[in-house]
């Protein structure tokens, strides 16, 4: 009996009772779809973290103030413990060996007006000209501001693409004037469309020289964070050490425990986030695995029913000379076809489901998960079909024929 | 071999091993109170080309004997040689092959597989015999044609009349060119007209020199066979050749059995 004959007779078995076959497939279908969707969600969130990190670059560090600077327990310290533009300048002057650039940032929100249009709660970031280099930000038109604009606190801004089209729907934004909380600024450039994976959409924000933003909006002195670009991704750890020494010196901190800032290493952040995502995925995949197990038991159940119902057919086949392996194969392949069909439908379902965002993540199907899921489907059919098929194969021809 | 009026098939030595040799066959079903002694010592030899009708009252053991001859069941004791092959020595896989190659079985209830075309049903023994697709199709078509149903190959069993279904079953039994054609009350489920069709078919096959063993309840059918074996209560009570137009009444049915012994013990084949 060659494989195509086995396939043909098994196929006949599966299609003989379509409703029952579909119901039997359901367990495997749901299990397979769940496994693929869950791994896709895990993969998608890992990718979005990756993307977020890679826009900053894996060689960046972020320094943030970790206290308000004037907490009750730190009454002995003065306001200089806070991060300021002077801190940034001081660090730059130290010419730390593994640090290329130090970019201070302040951020706030403001009401933005242009002609008769106005927009509330627009995110305004004050930073230095190096921001565009560190963040790898491209402009679609116009130009960024330069260091001299920053020194002179010029009223120039670079705006996000969404904001640009909102405010200046007809024509270019470059060269136009916008008002930020009543002060007029000139738009020098518009940023290209960027991925918006974070909570602040960069496409709707405004970038301005830090000195200007401090003077007009946030107040002079303190900054929210320093983004530090290490000389390359291998130097991140060394740069972190140098920064710590430099900052402690500048801020007059002697003891590690008194540090009023924290340094966040982007790749460390990435790793922890990925680990969390992975644990989550493994847990949920285990749940999906249980549904596959239940589906498999359903296959055993239905195949036992099928074998009982078709006892007479088995008797006829044996009377015509079917040997044990031929009958075994017929029912094994039938079980495997059932679960494979369930698996294929599960994959299709997963492909449909993963087109939608799931709890804020756009799932990305792991390519290998599809063949693996189909392979597992077939394996489930074979594993859970062995016992019924063995029962069929071991029937004695005369007894099988006698059953009505 | 003991019946000179039979046209021997492929006879080059003048003698040929019998197709069926049963010796001392007993079949006991169940245990204790449920114990049924279905066959109590059957000795039967069927030569190649012979057509044997088996009759007897219900429960006399006809089907039991037929199932043993068809290798569907194994006897409690006794020896069975099929076409020179000692069946008792065979394992399960070899028995399956014997059923496939040497035996064609026609059942009372047709036993076609539902939702499978007539042609596919006829092909089935060839599928299990490992015959290639093309040859299978040709042989199955030829077998269907030989029972007069060539144009019904695409029909499923439920689309055929009882008589047609049984003819398909005969085609399926013949398609492997078996040494032995067995039929257990093949007309038991048929109306008079279909019965006539099927019996004519068997008669025709007999004329072609096929070895046939057929169980029947109809005296008329028994009378038409070469040889009529009558069972009662698990033993053969009568074994007589057909009373033909010519005078063959001198053939004593007991003649056959003594000749069986040397074949069994001896050279075999
Ligand atoms: N599987 C079995 N288990 C127990 N007893 C059986 C079994 N098969 C047959 N018998 C018994 O063996 C005896 C012979 O049965 P068998 O079927 O051979 O009779 P038969 O001559 O074919 O009868 P019929 O003409 O009614 O078909 C009967 O008494 C029957 O009850
Ligand atoms: Mg019977």
């Amino acid at each position: 009996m060659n494989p195509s004959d086995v396939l043909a007779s098994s196929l006949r078995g599966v299609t003989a009772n379509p409703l029952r076959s579909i119901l039997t497939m359901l367990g495997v279908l749901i299990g397979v779809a769940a496994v693929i969707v869950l791994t896709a969600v895990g993969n998608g969130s890992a990718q979005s973290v990756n993307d977020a990190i890679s826009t900053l670059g894996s060689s960046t560090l972020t320094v943030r103030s970790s206290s308000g600077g004037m907490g009750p327990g730190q009454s002995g310290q003065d306001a200089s413990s806070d991060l300021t533009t002077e801190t940034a300048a001081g660090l730059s002057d130290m010419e730390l060996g593994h640090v290329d650039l130090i970019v201070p940032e302040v951020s706030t929100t403001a009401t933005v007006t242009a002609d008769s249009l106005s927009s509330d709660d627009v995110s305004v970031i004050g930073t230095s000209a190096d921001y565009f280099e560190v963040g790898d930000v491209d402009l679609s038109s116009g130009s960024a501001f330069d260091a001299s604009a920053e020194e002179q606190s010029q009223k120039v801004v670079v705006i996000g693409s969404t904001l640009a089209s909102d405010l200046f729907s007809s024509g270019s934004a470059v060269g136009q004037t916008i008002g930020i909380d009543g002060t007029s600024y000139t738009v020098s450039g518009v940023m290209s469309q960027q991925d918006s994976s974070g909570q602040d959409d960069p496409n709707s924000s405004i970038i301005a020289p830090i000195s200007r933003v401090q003077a007009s909006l946030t107040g002079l002195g303190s900054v929210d964070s320093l983004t530090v670009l290490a000389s390359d991704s291998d130097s991140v750890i060394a740069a972190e050490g140098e920064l710590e020494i430099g900052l402690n010196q500048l801020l007059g901190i002697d003891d590690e425990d008194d540090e009023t800032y924290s340094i966040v290493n982007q790749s460390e952040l990435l790793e922890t986030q990925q680990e969390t995502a992975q644990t989550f995925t493994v847990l949920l995949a285990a749940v999906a695995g249980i549904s596959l197990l239940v589906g498999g038991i359903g296959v055993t159940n239905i195949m036992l029913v099928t074998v009982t119902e078709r006892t007479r057919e088995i008797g006829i086949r044996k009377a015509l000379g079917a040997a044990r392996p031929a009958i075994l194969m017929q029912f094994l392949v039938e079980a495997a076809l059932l679960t494979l069909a369930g698996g294929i439908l599960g994959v299709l379902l997963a492909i449909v489901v993963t087109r939608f965002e799931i709890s804020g993540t756009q799932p990305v199907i792991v390519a290998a998960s599809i063949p693996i899921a189909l392979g597992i489907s077939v394996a489930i059919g074979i594993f859970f079909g062995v016992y019924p098929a063995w029962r069929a194969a071991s029937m004695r021809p005369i007894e099988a024929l006698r059953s009505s | 071999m003991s019946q000179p009026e039979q046209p021997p098939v492929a006879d080059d030595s003048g003698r040929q091993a019998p197709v069926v040799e049963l010796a001392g066959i007993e079949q006991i079903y169940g245990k204790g109170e449920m114990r049924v002694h279905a066959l109590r010592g059957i000795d039967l030899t069927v030569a190649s080309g012979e057509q044997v009708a088996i009759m007897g009252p219900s429960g006399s053991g006809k089907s039991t004997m037929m199932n043993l001859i068809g290798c569907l069941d194994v006897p409690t004791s006794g020896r069975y040689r099929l076409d020179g092959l000692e069946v008792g020595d065979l394992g399960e896989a070899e028995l399956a092959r014997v059923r496939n190659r040497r035996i064609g079985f026609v059942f009372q209830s047709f036993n076609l597989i539902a939702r499978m075309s007539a042609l596919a049903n006829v092909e089935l023994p060839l599928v299990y015999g490992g015959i290639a697709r093309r040859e299978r199709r040709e042989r199955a078509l030829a077998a269907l044609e030989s029972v007069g149903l060539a144009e019904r190959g695409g029909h499923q069993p439920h689309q055929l009349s009882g008589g047609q279904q049984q003819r398909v079953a005969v085609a399926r039994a013949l398609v492997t060119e078996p040494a032995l054609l067995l039929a257990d009350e093949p007309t038991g489920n048929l109306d008079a007209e279909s019965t006539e069709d099927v019996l004519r078919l068997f008669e025709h096959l007999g004329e072609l020199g096929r070895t046939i063993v057929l169980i029947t309840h109809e005296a008329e059918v028994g009378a038409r066979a070469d040889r009529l074996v009558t069972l009662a209560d698990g033993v053969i009570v009568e074994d007589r050749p057909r009373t033909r137009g010519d005078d063959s009444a001198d053939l004593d049915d007991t003649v056959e059995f003594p000749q069986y012994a040397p074949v069994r013990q001896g050279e075999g084949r």
Side-chain angles (χ1 to χ4, degrees):
Chain A
M1 206 177 181
N2 67 43
S4 69
D5 294 320
V6 175
L7 204 64
S9 65
S10 302
L11 209 56
R12 227 177 36 82
V14 173
T15 52
N17 202 331
L19 181 63
R20 185 202 281 178
S21 295
I22 286 167
L23 290 175
T24 312
M25 286 171 198
L26 221 51
V28 177
L29 187 158
I30 292 169
V32 163
V35 170
I36 294 177
V37 169
L38 291 171
T39 52
V41 170
N43 187 36
S45 73
Q47 276 199 12
S48 70
V49 170
N50 256 330
D51 289 349
I53 301 307
S54 73
T55 43
L56 276 173
S58 62
S59 45
T60 52
L61 292 157
T62 306
V63 183
R64 270 178 220 286
S65 172
S66 60
S67 73
M70 297 290 267
Q74 296 165 306
S75 47
Q77 295 180 328
D78 62 11
S80 71
S81 65
D82 213 352
L83 300 175
T84 62
T85 30
E86 284 72 45
T87 322
L91 279 174
S92 296
D93 291 345
M94 286 178 178
E95 298 190 343
L96 302 170
H98 293 92
V99 173
D100 274 3
L101 289 172
I102 297 174
V103 181
E105 265 178 51
V106 291
S107 65
T108 184
T109 56
T111 302
V112 176
T113 53
D115 297 335
S116 58
L117 293 169
S118 105
S119 184
D120 289 335
D121 284 334
V122 175
S123 151
V124 178
I125 296 168
T127 186
S128 69
D130 292 332
Y131 175 88
F132 299 97
E133 186 182 334
V134 174
D136 208 12
V137 178
D138 293 327
L139 300 191
S140 62
S141 61
S143 58
F145 51 83
D146 55 17
S148 67
E150 187 192 338
E151 272 161 32
Q152 298 160 19
S153 302
Q154 285 177 6
K155 294 176 181 168
V156 289
V157 290
V158 172
I159 64 177
S161 56
T162 310
L163 188 64
S165 54
D166 284 352
L167 296 176
F168 306 101
S169 47
S170 55
S172 168
V174 177
Q176 304 278 356
T177 300
I178 61 170
I180 300 176
D181 277 2
T183 313
S184 294
Y185 291 76
T186 306
V187 177
S188 73
V190 177
M191 292 183 275
S192 319
Q193 182 80 28
Q194 295 173 56
D195 286 343
S196 54
S197 46
Q199 55 270 65
D200 286 327
D201 183 1
N203 298 310
S204 300
S205 56
I206 295 176
I207 316 288
I210 187 165
S211 48
R212 185 72 252 159
V213 175
Q214 284 177 323
S216 303
L217 298 164
T218 63
L220 291 172
S222 72
V223 299
D224 294 333
S225 66
L226 305 177
T227 301
V228 178
L229 182 66
S231 42
D232 57 63
S233 57
D234 295 333
S235 314
V236 171
I237 304 295
E240 193 173 342
E242 290 173 358
L243 278 174
E244 192 173 355
I245 295 166
L247 281 165
N248 286 355
Q249 201 178 316
L250 285 170
L251 302 174
I253 298 167
D254 305 322
D255 190 343
E256 246 181 60
D257 297 336
D258 293 338
E259 284 175 1
T260 53
Y261 60 87
S262 62
I263 304 177
V264 182
N265 176 337
Q266 297 291 355
S267 50
E268 264 173 26
L269 199 66
L270 168 75
E271 269 167 36
T272 14
Q273 269 184 301
Q274 270 183 332
E275 271 166 29
T276 320
Q278 237 160 32
T279 323
F280 185 69
T281 306
V282 165
L283 259 170
L284 292 179
V287 173
I290 290 170
S291 110
L292 283 179
L293 180 75
V294 173
I297 293 168
V299 169
T300 305
N301 187 22
I302 285 303
M303 288 308 294
L304 281 175
V305 173
T306 301
V307 166
T308 308
E309 278 178 355
R310 284 158 64 191
T311 300
R312 196 178 180 84
E313 176 190 324
I314 294 164
I316 297 169
R317 289 177 182 272
K318 289 205 150 194
L320 297 180
R324 194 184 271 252
I327 301 290
L328 189 81
M329 280 308 285
Q330 179 185 338
F331 286 96
L332 260 192
V333 171
E334 192 169 321
L337 277 180
L338 267 181
T339 52
L340 177 64
I344 290 171
L345 293 178
V347 168
L348 295 180
L349 179 65
I351 288 173
V352 172
V353 168
T354 50
R355 312 197 115 209
F356 303 98
E357 256 187 25
I358 297 167
S359 61
T361 311
Q362 180 61 54
V364 178
I365 290 184
V366 183
S369 72
I370 290 177
I372 290 173
L374 293 180
I376 288 175
S377 309
V378 172
I380 285 173
I382 292 172
F383 182 81
F384 288 95
V386 162
Y387 176 62
W390 174 83
R391 277 258 292 249
S394 344
M395 282 181 185
R396 291 180 50 211
I398 187 66
E399 273 154 22
L401 274 172
R402 258 200 284 263
S403 89
S404 44
Chain B
M1 53 210 232
S2 57
Q3 293 187 314
E5 76 271 80
Q6 292 254 330
V9 178
D11 186 8
D12 47 18
S13 62
R15 296 174 71 84
Q16 213 184 14
V19 177
V20 174
E21 300 170 80
L22 297 176
I25 293 286
E26 306 224 8
Q27 185 69 303
I28 298 168
Y29 291 117
K31 285 194 171 75
E33 300 235 321
M34 303 293 290
R35 193 176 142 105
V36 179
H37 209 146
L39 296 177
R40 318 162 171 264
I42 297 282
D43 300 295
L44 178 70
T45 303
V46 178
S48 179
E50 211 174 5
Q51 289 91 51
V52 182
I54 299 188
M55 295 191 76
S58 182
S60 56
K62 304 183 296 294
S63 296
T64 302
M65 186 174 85
M66 196 64 131
N67 294 336
L68 293 177
I69 296 174
C71 296
L72 294 173
D73 206 354
V74 287
T76 311
S77 64
R79 302 184 69 176
Y80 172 29
R81 252 169 197 265
L82 171 69
D83 213 13
L85 194 72
E86 197 72 55
V87 172
D89 296 345
L90 303 179
E92 193 187 310
E94 292 161 311
L95 279 176
R97 195 157 53 233
V98 166
R99 286 195 293 270
N100 184 246
R101 305 265 162 91
R102 305 198 185 208
I103 292 166
F105 212 122
V106 178
F107 302 90
Q108 178 174 351
S109 49
F110 320 141
N111 275 347
L112 298 180
I113 296 182
R115 287 189 311 277
M116 237 168 98
S117 71
L119 187 65
N121 264 284
V122 175
E123 272 187 52
L124 207 51
L126 301 177
V127 170
Y128 291 123
I131 310 292
R133 187 167 300 246
R134 179 188 300 243
E135 184 185 344
R136 217 154 74 192
R137 178 108 332 162
E138 280 168 10
R139 282 171 66 175
L141 277 171
L144 272 180
E145 191 161 0
S146 74
V147 298
L149 286 175
E151 76 289 359
R152 295 302 178 102
H155 288 57
Q156 300 207 342
H158 69 90
Q159 296 168 314
L160 297 170
S161 76
Q164 288 170 332
Q165 287 188 54
Q166 194 61 301
R167 274 147 68 198
V168 171
V170 172
R172 184 177 67 182
L174 289 174
V175 76
T176 53
E177 296 290 331
L180 181 60
L181 183 61
L182 302 175
D184 189 346
E185 293 187 51
T187 60
N189 284 4
L190 298 179
D191 61 22
E193 201 178 325
S194 304
T195 297
E196 196 47 46
D197 281 354
V198 170
L199 288 179
R200 260 209 309 273
L201 180 57
F202 275 99
E203 216 164 330
H204 174 65
L205 292 170
E207 281 159 16
L208 294 174
R210 296 243 169 226
T211 312
I212 301 173
V213 179
L214 177 146
I215 297 178
T216 181
H217 272 305
E218 288 157 88
E220 183 223 359
V221 177
R224 281 201 287 197
D226 279 339
R227 185 176 158 199
L228 178 63
V229 172
T230 308
L231 258 70
D233 209 13
V235 290
I236 293 176
V237 293
E238 198 186 357
D239 186 349
R240 65 168 169 78
R242 177 171 75 164
T243 43
R244 295 196 171 200
D246 62 277
D247 184 16
S248 53
D250 61 314
L251 276 169
D252 187 344
D253 56 87
T254 55
V255 167
E256 228 163 319
F257 299 105
Q259 288 190 342
Y260 184 74
V263 180
R264 259 171 66 211
Q265 303 163 340
E267 327 73 60
R269 251 214 305 198

